[in-house]
Amino acid sequence: MAFRPLTARAPAVLLREAKPLKAIFGHAQRLGHLQRLLESQLQPAAREHCHVASWREGSLLLIVTDGHWATRLRYQQKRLQRQLQMFDEFASLTRILFKVQPPTVQQGAAGHTISLSTDAGATIQATAEGISDPNLRAALERLAAHAKPKD
């Protein structure tokens, strides 16, 4: 008896037909729709810092990127709740919870960038020339090499 592999199916077909994937896909679509409704009521600056985590039994849980935005949104909580209740999807909204969860990947933390002026580089280089310790001198020369020329 030979094994006959199943024919390949398009990912979109799998998402619509496979029961576990269908449930996950439906839940993701629902959260995406709720996110769009929430963003329509948030200030433009707050939209990237606030995401819908769950919506059940009249309670909306929002994930906020830092404490600053959580505090700002808590001050606006009553207004936001009234505005969201106007949508059919949020008609039974009784409370909004905020949870602070910083992003897992820091967006600006790719590496250290050193920016020195030409004058600072020249001063460090002059200091390095007067140093007798070879390790310290080499370190200062490497630092001085980061000076940017004037444009």
Side-chain angles (χ1 to χ4, degrees), residues 17-127:
E17 294 176 2
K19 286 193 180 194
L21 293 178
K22 184 178 180 180
I24 293 170
F25 184 64
H27 186 68
Q29 283 186 316
R30 183 172 168 254
L31 284 178
H33 177 66
L34 296 176
Q35 179 70 33
R36 286 188 296 279
L37 292 176
L38 173 69
E39 287 177 356
S40 72
Q41 301 305 314
L42 289 176
Q43 302 168 356
R47 291 177 185 157
E48 68 183 87
H49 300 284
C50 185
H51 304 283
V52 174
S54 70
W55 163 240
R56 32 179 110 89
E57 301 171 4
S59 181
L60 178 64
L61 176 62
L62 301 177
I63 300 294
V64 186
T65 58
D66 58 38
H68 165 77
W69 284 104
T71 301
R72 287 184 68 172
L73 290 169
R74 281 187 188 106
Y75 279 120
Q76 301 173 20
Q77 183 173 358
K78 293 294 182 192
R79 177 195 58 83
L80 183 61
Q81 184 173 342
R82 280 192 311 272
Q83 288 176 326
L84 289 175
Q85 285 173 335
M86 292 183 179
F87 294 110
D88 292 337
E89 292 84 346
F90 290 113
S92 63
L93 180 64
T94 57
R95 66 182 181 162
I96 300 175
L97 302 171
F98 298 96
K99 181 178 179 185
V100 176
Q101 183 176 356
T104 55
V105 177
Q106 294 292 335
Q107 294 171 348
H112 297 287
T113 57
I114 299 173
S115 177
L116 293 175
S117 67
T118 308
D119 295 336
T123 303
I124 293 171
Q125 182 64 42
T127 304

